[in-house]
Amino acid sequence: MNYTLETGLRGCLRHPRTMALVMLTLALGLASVMTMLTLLSVLGADPLPGISHTLHLAWADSRETARSGDSDTYGDGSPVPPLWKLADARAMQQLRPDVRQVALVTAPVTLASLDGSARKQVSAAFALGPMLPVFDVPLRHGRYWTPEEEAARTPVVVISRSLSQRLLGREDGTGAEVRLGKHNFRVIGISERWAPRPRPHFLPASDAGWRGEGDEVFAPAEAALASGIEISSTRICDDAGFGGFRFDQVNVEQCRWLVLWAELADAAQQRSYAQSLQAFAADRHAAGIFPRPPLTRLQSMPQWLHLNRVVPDSVRLNLWLAIGLLVLCLVNVAGLLAARFLRRSGEYGVRRVLGAPRRAIIATCLVESTLAGLLGGLLALPLTLAGLWLMRQQGDAYAPLARLDLPLFALLVLLALLTGVLVGLLPALRAARQEPALQVKTL
């Protein structure tokens, strides 16, 4: 075994230009595949590990009667947001009090200290229901708001630790007050940074959820409305009144602007909730509240992200193109290795005449091809890092996330070794099948 390994290693040093070409060809193919695999793994990662499989987006169609030209998708193919009016969302929550449900919206707001000396525009989440525990927002200090505080529209707020440091001058700002809208809000909790990528809980139109730095303000939605906060976000409004717009304020009665999430632990609970949702829509239609026939949807978070094309089709297409390039590289490497092995057919013939079995010849060739694959993988590492750097220079919102981590590096090494074995197997079998007598005559 040691002789076979030594012979294979010595073979790598012969004809160095051919070996360098083998390694470079493998490195280019591996780097192209690893660059796209890294990007795809980042984009396809679970934004809320451990809880996303229990969260389901509920929707009941409350839109006005369909008119000519209406569609369930926008011009770019993205779905019309499954939004709710405030009264409808509240009614659905009351219908199933045994299920934790959260109706929410995210919007940019300006938060300021009471004296106005410090202010910052941040992304805020306004919710009906226990959003923070349902979405597992990490709390560092204080507490969440209670149902009683939400029902009384008490002006309470949870802010991030960094925002507390900036506005209040300390990490634990619980008990202090900040200015939000026209009212002062009492800080009851301090959260850790919460920025799932992509942002799954509220996806505005034409936004796959990769932009922004996460939500830093969390408050009860009705308390926020009472304070006159200007909520600028995706909405679908009826034609009545002013069409839902008045200096970026929401017409609560005429606009759909909330998404509704339900926490459903198992399939039985999902079926039960889906039936309740359908019955809710049927009752509202029969009462004349929903003009359209009952239409509902209950989607898991992964289904919702897939529907919104969080992973762009271009990324998957580029991965297939990279795989095609790798296959082309492997074909070329197989030809180069076959030429290297057949060039030493006389040497292999002498070893066969001296009693070496065919498996020893195959093992020697595989040692050489495997080492070439490993060296090609090591060379692919800087090429992969360069490819990811180029990805980060693009204008896409998800580009900054394209970074190689340890598991993906281990995958690169494993793929390089496997590629070396596979690409060298056919040339090795061909070299071992040569008749020793014919090989010796060539000497």
Side-chain angles (χ1 to χ4, degrees):
M1 182 63 184
N2 290 337
Y3 178 74
T4 300
L5 182 61
E6 181 182 350
T7 306
L9 294 177
R10 281 204 311 267
C12 291
L13 301 178
R14 298 181 181 180
H15 312 293
R17 287 180 295 182
T18 307
M19 179 56 71
L21 186 58
V22 167
M23 291 188 299
L24 181 59
T25 304
L26 278 176
L28 288 174
L30 289 171
S32 62
V33 169
M34 285 307 304
T35 299
M36 298 315 302
L37 274 179
T38 300
L39 186 59
L40 188 62
S41 69
V42 170
L43 299 184
D46 188 350
L48 295 173
I51 64 171
S52 61
H53 66 283
T54 66
L55 297 177
H56 292 72
L57 186 71
W59 178 66
D61 192 358
S62 64
R63 293 174 296 170
E64 293 183 301
T65 304
R67 293 169 296 184
S68 177
D70 281 357
S71 173
D72 287 336
T73 60
Y74 290 121
D76 60 356
S78 59
V80 173
L83 300 176
W84 293 68
K85 291 182 179 179
L86 178 63
D88 297 332
R90 192 187 296 114
M92 185 62 206
Q93 288 177 324
Q94 294 171 353
L95 179 65
R96 290 298 302 266
D98 57 311
V99 175
R100 291 207 298 184
Q101 303 173 75
V102 178
L104 61 87
V105 64
T106 65
V109 298
T110 298
L111 200 69
S113 58
L114 289 185
D115 59 6
S117 60
R119 64 179 58 244
K120 185 181 179 183
Q121 187 176 57
V122 295
S123 177
F126 302 115
L128 297 176
M131 176 197 171
L132 283 81
V134 167
F135 283 87
D136 197 25
V137 178
L139 200 63
R140 186 174 182 87
H141 303 288
R143 60 177 178 83
Y144 305 134
W145 61 79
T146 64
E148 292 75 20
E149 288 174 326
E150 182 176 344
R153 302 185 180 182
T154 306
V156 292
V157 66
V158 174
I159 64 176
S160 69
R161 180 173 57 162
S162 62
L163 191 57
S164 175
Q165 189 71 47
R166 175 163 179 170
L167 297 184
L168 304 175
R170 60 186 186 273
E171 177 184 299
D172 184 3
T174 54
E177 291 190 344
V178 292
R179 190 72 176 177
L180 184 60
K182 300 176 182 178
H183 294 174
N184 296 340
F185 278 65
R186 181 165 53 90
V187 178
I188 60 171
I190 304 296
S191 71
E192 293 285 7
R193 183 176 184 270
W194 190 69
R197 294 293 185 93
R199 182 178 61 184
H201 51 294
F202 191 84
L203 294 177
S206 303
D207 184 359
W210 297 107
R211 301 184 185 278
E213 297 299 325
D215 297 324
E216 295 192 61
V217 174
F218 307 90
E222 293 187 277
L225 289 174
S227 70
I229 293 177
E230 297 178 355
I231 298 179
S232 175
S233 187
T234 300
R235 69 196 73 179
I236 300 175
C237 297
D238 296 338
D239 288 337
F242 48 83
F245 293 92
R246 182 185 291 167
F247 303 110
D248 259 341
Q249 295 182 5
V250 173
N251 180 341
V252 174
E253 300 298 328
Q254 303 297 333
C255 287
R256 299 157 193 84
W257 51 283
L258 295 162
V259 295
L260 180 64
W261 291 93
E263 187 181 56
L264 308 171
D266 51 42
Q269 198 171 21
Q270 293 169 22
R271 287 192 297 270
S272 174
Y273 187 85
Q275 292 170 358
S276 298
L277 185 63
Q278 184 65 28
F280 171 80
D283 290 344
R284 304 288 272 191
H285 177 67
I289 300 175
F290 287 3
R292 301 194 185 194
L295 175 63
T296 62
R297 284 202 302 261
L298 185 65
Q299 298 168 310
S300 66
M301 183 173 288
Q303 291 172 333
W304 170 237
L305 295 177
H306 177 74
L307 182 66
N308 281 272
R309 299 178 182 175
V310 168
V311 180
D313 294 336
S314 60
V315 173
R316 293 190 175 91
L317 176 60
N318 289 336
L319 176 60
W320 284 111
L321 292 176
I323 292 175
L325 176 61
L326 177 60
V327 171
L328 183 62
C329 291
L330 294 183
V331 171
N332 283 276
V333 168
L336 290 170
L337 290 177
R340 286 177 60 86
F341 296 158
L342 292 178
R343 186 178 296 180
R344 300 203 300 272
S345 60
E347 173 191 335
Y348 297 147
V350 171
R351 290 182 59 188
R352 290 290 308 282
V353 169
L354 294 177
R358 284 185 175 179
R359 63 176 178 273
I361 304 300
I362 295 175
T364 299
C365 295
L366 288 181
V367 167
E368 186 172 338
S369 66
T370 302
L371 182 59
L374 180 59
L375 294 176
L378 294 178
L379 182 58
L381 177 60
L383 295 178
T384 301
L385 295 176
L388 293 175
W389 179 83
L390 289 175
M391 285 286 182
R392 292 195 294 273
Q393 308 313 305
Q394 306 302 313
D396 297 314
Y398 55 78
L401 303 177
R403 298 183 184 277
L404 188 68
D405 56 15
L406 186 59
L408 288 171
F409 174 70
L411 177 62
L412 172 61
V413 174
L414 180 62
L415 185 60
L417 291 173
L418 182 62
T419 299
V421 173
L422 292 178
V423 82
L425 186 58
L426 186 59
L429 291 173
R430 183 178 178 185
R433 281 202 304 265
Q434 297 290 328
E435 291 297 331
L438 296 176
Q439 292 173 338
V440 171
K441 285 181 180 180
T442 62
L443 295 176

